[in-house]
Amino acid sequence: MARGLNRLAIVLLCVLICECSWFEEGRCSTVSYDHRALVIDGKRRVLLSGSVHYPRTTSEMWPEIIRLSKEGGLDVIETYVFWNNHEPERGQYYFEGRFDLVKFVKTVQEAGLLVHLRIGPYACAEWNYGGFPMWLHFLPGIQFRTNNAIFKNEMKRFLAKVVNLMKEERLFASQGGPIILAQVENEYGNVESSYGQPGELYVQWAAKTAVSLNTTVPWVMCAQGDAPDPIINTCNGFYCDQFTPNSPSKPKMWTENYSGWFLSFGYPIPYRPVEDLAFSVARFFEYGGTFQNYYMYFGGTNFGRTAGGPLVATSYDYDAPIDEYGFIRQPKWGHLRDLHKVIKLCEEYLISSDPTLEKLGQNLEAHVYYKSSNSCAAFLANFDSISDARVTFKGNEYFLPAWSVSILPDCKNVVFNTAKVVSQRHPAENAFTRSTSTHEVSLATSDWSWYQEYVGIWGNKSFTKSGLLEQINTTKDTSDFLWYSTSIYVNSTEDRDGFLNVQSMGHVALVFVNKKLLGLGYGNHDDEKFSIAQRISLEEGINTLDILSMMVGLQNYGPWFDVQGAGIDEVVLAGFKNGNRDISSQRWTYQVGLKGEHLGLDKISLANSSYWTYGSSPPVANSLIWYKTTFLAPQGKGPLALNLSSMGKGQAWVNGHGIGRYWPAYLSPPTGCTENCDYRGNHDSSTCQRKCGQPTQTLYHVPRAWVHSGENLLVLHEELGGDPSKITVLTQTGAEVICSVVSEDDPPPVDSWEPNANEFESRQSQPEVRLACSDERRLISSINFAGFGNPGGNCGSFVPGDCHADMSSFVRKACVGKKGCSIPVMTESEELDDGLCHGLVKRFAVEAVCT
């Protein structure tokens, strides 16, 4: 079967469809591959890619994000396709708004970039239910992601729907479109063993089905070591330099290089130092890779209830080069841009030959790419996590910091080193904290209204069953909420004091006895199960027990994740003198959702409804309460953020748009964070973390397109208790602080390299401090610090060192009043004290303000 598939692929990949429009020549484009690279129009290509998920922002933001991606040196935009949002009901399709896939692909095309379309249709992606529609779960006899005829029919139908949609819009490369790659399934190799032989058969079927759809571009399967020909198996992970495809005829491709990690409620904020990220990329190309994708290049936001689970946060920032709000994150974006430039300088060498390995010492090596016997490019690597080193290569000596790669496009001059970050910096990770005059609007004086939820059964659609029902099968994910209600009868002779023990499969629960809040329980991302044990004092006669079970995103990963349950699974009265009493199997009454949801209190149409209570100040610290107010959006064109640090847990809407779930009350553990994390050594998702002992997320993205001039409606459903009067609305409208720190032994700027010259030109032979305002409307207005020597501190807090020359006057003349400036790093200064500066590698640090 593999040989048959291979023959079919050769035919498909060579199909030409005329009337192409994407390439300047106006001719058709063919995409194939050999053992070294993807081949586009007969030429091997080295391609740099970045993941941008179209629904995690608004269509209004797509052009700017894609522009910044292109300026950052990307060739390709990679995205999943989200089945559950495109087919919310079987046979009913939705491709509008931020889910307009065609518009997104065309926006990428208009920017001159290519597309890798990961159709799946399983996405994972920390997206609700992994991207599967909930109706799929209820088809009789279905089993997901295995050799099940019902599932395969539905999967093939949706694959064909997306492929045909792309064909109708002429978006595959052979039609003049930007799509050069497609993906079927996703990381199935990580779970395949749990499905046994049916899983193996499913892989074969998925490959054959994908090829039969005649996309005329190659298909890939990521993390799938047994991907049959002609499907390319690709690598996902923090490091993929040692990855080898499963066939000598396939290129080495990396579909997910993690720029950071996703955020979960109750966890610190993970991040990845750019030195390590750049090291991983350089090592991959050093070892023969030719296609590399950042997951994510722009992460965005899990709006509404789109976040996966359990307990995935609303922010999907991912420590990506472009942050959640669409601003570039420095120095990550700039350092990777420089890396991309130097890789492109080496492209002709990378596609001309396989690398030749030269050992340079312990944990030291070079990989050399020859175009001819006297023309080459080289990667010099020190993969020791502790010790710097000096090496000799082709008669020249080079310094290699620990855990770094130097790239020599001519086998002689170091144009880039992964550990030497010379790109511009910002003083903080968040766009709103790095602005010196962020505009903040307080809602303290706003007019508030509220609606108090009823505890327990509230409507005529409730029903009664014996025993405890599993939540997802009961709610069908139409709501995060399910009420479990029953009664406990105590006669005059029974003990009234004891404990109530509640066991849950996840994710959160509030327990009420006689309509009064008794306790709260919740799990975490790695273990969603939890228990609640609370002392209770019952009353003689009938006592009511109401448990509100709450979901925080459906499971999106793991074997058989689609049948993983949630909700209450055991309730026991314990510690009473007359013995324990398991009430799990007695009669329970169920209500799906909350009354406020049923009424539609989040909608603009109910803003003036009589359901709302009006007063001079809203009640605070109440559980299960809705709040409503209006606000005037701060002036400007940039995105907004809601500061919800005063709230507990719930959901928010602005003008009817779901901003997402919030949970500032869930603090991360107090230990385990490293603000200045060592980039050296292998990293994973927990190596570097910030904000221990603090809320996971307090700022929530409100796209500018979702607000308008005049009053904007804000609605919140608070589940635990908070103070809405302390909410603020932020936007970045003021000055911006930018910095640069460059040492005298750093390489000159990458773009000063002349590919056809043997040396840098003399005027370009020095490293440079480069500054540029991120907004074209801003100019450098002042210099806060400019010093040469050994300055201390970081961007935003520089201080002179013992060895110091004040360069403020010089930098002001060079930079103030300009959008950007470049200043060579001098090797000496009359102001420096020879005694204090002797033997130091001196640095030039500048902090400027753009207004």
Side-chain angles (χ1 to χ4, degrees):
M1 183 166 66
R3 288 193 298 272
L5 281 172
N6 200 29
R7 287 194 295 272
L8 178 60
I10 293 172
V11 173
L12 294 178
L13 293 175
C14 292
V15 171
L16 297 180
I17 302 177
C18 295
E19 299 179 8
C20 301
S21 60
W22 188 80
F23 290 91
E24 290 182 356
E25 296 87 345
R27 57 185 175 81
C28 301
S29 172
T30 59
V31 185
S32 60
Y33 64 82
D34 61 18
H35 81 287
R36 284 296 298 128
L38 290 178
V39 179
I40 301 178
D41 283 341
K43 181 177 176 61
R44 290 174 176 169
R45 293 288 304 276
V46 169
L47 296 172
L48 294 150
S49 174
S51 291
V52 176
H53 296 161
Y54 51 98
R56 282 181 158 137
T57 185
T58 61
S59 58
E60 290 84 357
M61 289 181 66
W62 292 343
E64 176 66 6
I65 290 166
I66 293 166
R67 181 187 71 82
L68 292 173
S69 301
K70 184 176 182 179
E71 286 186 7
L74 298 191
D75 307 294
V76 182
I77 297 296
E78 181 178 285
T79 186
Y80 284 119
V81 177
F82 299 90
W83 187 2
N84 57 345
N85 292 95
H86 289 306
E87 193 177 5
E89 300 291 337
R90 191 175 189 276
Q92 297 180 15
Y93 297 100
Y94 183 80
F95 288 91
E96 299 176 22
R98 70 180 202 274
F99 293 96
D100 191 338
L101 176 60
V102 168
K103 182 177 179 180
F104 177 76
V105 173
K106 288 183 176 180
T107 304
V108 176
Q109 180 180 14
E110 288 166 3
L113 297 181
L114 304 168
V115 172
H116 176 197
L117 194 64
R118 307 177 81 183
I119 307 174
Y122 167 64
C124 182
E126 292 71 56
W127 193 262
N128 196 49
Y129 213 36
F132 285 134
M134 181 49 64
W135 57 260
L136 194 68
H137 174 78
F138 293 99
L139 295 181
I142 197 168
Q143 289 183 316
F144 287 14
R145 304 179 77 197
T146 189
N147 193 37
N148 174 273
I150 301 169
F151 176 77
K152 291 191 296 183
N153 287 340
E154 295 300 321
M155 174 173 165
K156 182 176 182 179
R157 185 178 59 82
F158 185 73
L159 283 171
K161 172 70 177 179
V162 175
V163 168
N164 289 336
L165 181 61
M166 297 300 105
K167 286 182 179 179
E168 290 167 6
E169 298 291 335
R170 306 189 66 78
L171 293 175
F172 286 106
S174 59
Q175 300 173 292
I179 301 173
I180 60 165
L181 278 175
Q183 178 177 299
V184 65
E185 248 296 337
N186 185 61
E187 294 185 327
Y188 189 71
N190 296 345
V191 299
E192 184 177 344
S193 61
S194 298
Y195 295 84
Q197 186 180 22
E200 297 174 10
L201 294 173
Y202 168 65
V203 171
Q204 295 286 330
W205 170 85
K208 183 177 180 181
T209 299
V211 173
S212 72
L213 292 172
N214 191 19
T215 62
T216 70
V217 300
W219 286 86
V220 305
M221 280 183 163
C222 65
Q224 193 66 52
D226 61 350
D229 294 341
I231 307 296
I232 306 169
N233 67 303
T234 65
C235 184
N236 288 359
F238 281 87
Y239 308 92
C240 283
D241 49 286
Q242 300 303 312
F243 167 75
T244 302
N246 65 9
S247 166
S249 65
K250 299 177 183 179
K252 182 171 180 170
M253 298 175 61
W254 193 355
T255 38
E256 291 188 14
N257 181 4
Y258 305 119
S259 58
W261 199 246
F262 64 88
L263 188 61
S264 300
F265 288 123
Y267 285 61
I269 298 175
Y271 66 99
R272 188 178 186 186
V274 68
E275 297 93 334
D276 177 66
L277 181 57
F279 173 79
S280 71
V281 176
R283 289 285 279 173
F284 179 71
F285 286 101
E286 174 191 347
Y287 268 85
T290 50
F291 180 101
Q292 191 270 164
N293 178 77
Y294 297 101
Y295 190 99
M296 302 290 296
Y297 197 77
F298 163 79
T301 307
N302 294 317
F303 294 116
R305 298 173 60 241
T306 60
L311 281 73
V312 172
T314 297
S315 172
Y316 202 67
D317 181 87
Y318 228 91
D319 195 36
I322 303 174
D323 72 17
E324 177 181 5
Y325 299 92
F327 299 106
I328 59 175
R329 171 176 276 113
Q330 296 285 32
K332 184 168 280 189
W333 183 87
H335 193 53
L336 295 177
R337 174 203 57 198
D338 292 345
L339 171 61
H340 302 157
K341 287 179 179 178
V342 74
I343 287 172
K344 288 296 185 177
L345 290 175
C346 301
E347 180 170 13
E348 291 302 315
Y349 298 93
L350 294 174
I351 63 176
S352 296
S353 66
D354 294 322
T356 300
L357 171 64
E358 296 183 20
K359 288 291 185 180
L360 302 177
Q362 185 175 359
N363 296 333
L364 300 164
E365 63 189 19
H367 281 83
V368 186
Y369 289 85
Y370 288 96
K371 204 159 59 166
S372 64
S373 59
N374 60 355
S375 179
C376 62
F379 293 74
L380 311 185
N382 178 358
F383 51 96
D384 192 288
S385 62
I386 299 174
S387 301
D388 300 338
R390 292 193 177 275
V391 300
T392 300
F393 174 72
K394 294 191 178 297
N396 295 314
E397 187 177 88
Y398 299 91
F399 173 72
L400 288 176
W403 205 253
S404 78
V405 177
S406 286
I407 303 178
L408 293 64
D410 60 353
C411 277
K412 182 177 181 181
N413 291 285
V414 175
V415 176
F416 184 89
N417 179 273
T418 59
K420 292 180 175 292
V421 180
V422 299
S423 61
Q424 185 168 294
R425 302 165 187 256
H426 286 140
E429 284 299 304
N430 187 283
F432 290 95
T433 58
R434 67 173 177 248
S435 174
T436 60
S437 56
T438 296
H439 187 56
E440 188 168 8
V441 176
S442 172
L443 303 186
T445 59
S446 299
D447 293 327
W448 287 92
S449 308
W450 58 91
Y451 172 85
Q452 185 68 56
E453 279 284 346
Y454 181 76
V455 173
I457 305 306
W458 52 264
N460 57 15
K461 290 188 178 180
S462 62
F463 59 94
T464 302
K465 295 280 187 180
S466 294
L468 297 168
L469 299 182
E470 192 278 324
Q471 182 165 352
I472 300 171
N473 285 307
T474 306
T475 66
K476 297 180 173 58
D477 197 37
T478 58
S479 170
D480 282 352
F481 306 99
L482 178 64
W483 280 108
Y484 294 72
S485 296
T486 192
S487 61
I488 305 167
Y489 182 77
V490 178
N491 63 37
S492 59
T493 62
E494 288 182 304
D495 184 20
R496 302 177 190 179
D497 296 323
F499 286 89
L500 176 67
N501 294 332
V502 178
Q503 299 287 335
S504 175
M505 295 181 285
H507 302 154
V508 187
L510 288 170
V511 179
F512 298 83
V513 174
N514 294 324
K515 307 303 179 182
K516 295 181 179 179
L517 180 62
L518 177 71
L520 164 70
Y522 46 87
N524 59 56
H525 176 73
D526 293 304
D527 184 6
E528 64 272 32
K529 297 179 181 179
F530 63 91
S531 61
I532 302 172
Q534 291 285 341
R535 180 176 292 277
I536 58 171
S537 293
L538 299 174
E539 301 172 357
E540 183 179 340
I542 296 175
N543 297 263
T544 60
L545 173 61
D546 300 289
I547 305 174
L548 181 61
S549 182
M550 299 180 273
M551 298 291 295
V552 189
L554 295 185
Q555 187 78 24
N556 59 260
Y557 180 75
W560 306 105
F561 77 85
D562 52 294
V563 293
Q564 184 167 325
I568 309 303
D569 61 352
E570 184 179 77
V571 182
V572 176
L573 298 173
F576 291 81
K577 292 179 181 178
N578 51 334
N580 293 349
R581 180 181 169 192
D582 189 337
I583 61 174
S584 305
S585 59
Q586 72 179 41
R587 301 282 285 177
W588 290 80
T589 301
Y590 295 91
Q591 182 93 60
V592 175
L594 302 174
K595 187 172 182 179
E597 288 182 301
H598 175 72
L599 295 173
L601 293 182
D602 58 299
K603 295 179 172 58
I604 297 176
S605 59
L606 266 74
N608 297 315
S609 167
S610 61
Y611 292 117
W612 294 102
T613 299
Y614 297 83
S616 57
S617 60
V620 299
N622 284 23
S623 63
L624 301 183
I625 186 171
W626 295 74
Y627 295 107
K628 173 182 73 74
T629 192
T630 59
F631 67 93
L632 298 176
Q635 292 183 348
K637 296 183 179 180
L640 311 180
L642 283 176
N643 186 336
L644 300 179
S645 57
S646 65
M647 304 303 289
K649 177 186 182 296
Q651 296 182 55
W653 296 263
V654 170
N655 293 329
H657 298 282
I659 302 306
R661 300 183 182 97
Y662 63 84
W663 200 349
Y666 199 169
L667 304 184
S668 63
T671 60
C673 286
T674 46
E675 288 295 332
N676 295 307
C677 191
D678 192 342
Y679 72 85
R680 299 174 300 177
N682 285 315
H683 282 62
D684 59 27
S685 60
S686 61
T687 302
C688 299
Q689 300 180 113
R690 296 189 178 97
K691 295 193 175 179
C692 283
Q694 300 180 47
T696 300
Q697 183 180 355
T698 57
L699 297 180
Y700 292 80
H701 179 203
V702 181
R704 177 62 69 165
W706 289 359
V707 298
H708 48 251
S709 60
E711 293 188 339
N712 294 272
L713 177 67
L714 171 63
V715 176
L716 303 106
H717 175 243
E718 175 55 48
E719 300 161 15
L720 306 183
D723 186 350
S725 67
K726 295 181 180 177
I727 294 173
T728 58
V729 183
L730 298 85
T731 191
Q732 189 191 50
T733 60
E736 175 192 21
V737 175
I738 57 176
C739 301
S740 181
V741 182
V742 180
S743 73
E744 57 187 345
D745 67 348
D746 283 333
V750 173
D751 56 14
S752 66
W753 169 251
E754 297 289 342
N756 297 321
N758 292 323
E759 302 283 351
F760 286 94
E761 295 180 13
S762 58
R763 62 181 178 87
Q764 298 173 322
S765 62
Q766 293 173 277
E768 294 179 7
V769 163
R770 288 187 170 183
L771 297 169
C773 300
S774 59
D775 190 324
E776 293 184 355
R777 295 168 296 179
R778 292 175 175 166
L779 300 176
I780 297 173
S781 57
S782 61
I783 304 300
N784 291 344
F785 180 91
F788 180 62
N790 62 341
N794 296 301
C795 184
S797 61
F798 288 129
V799 294
D802 295 331
C803 171
H804 177 70
D806 187 348
M807 306 300 296
S808 300
S809 177
F810 177 73
V811 174
R812 287 191 190 97
K813 293 178 182 178
C815 299
V816 170
K818 300 178 181 178
K819 293 180 180 179
C821 57
S822 299
I823 308 167
V825 177
M826 69 287 293
T827 57
E828 58 185 38
S829 172
E830 294 180 356
E831 295 185 36
L832 295 178
D833 186 312
D834 290 338
L836 295 174
C837 299
H838 180 71
L840 290 178
V841 176
K842 294 175 283 295
R843 296 183 301 149
F844 193 180
V846 179
E847 178 182 309
V849 177
C850 294
T851 57

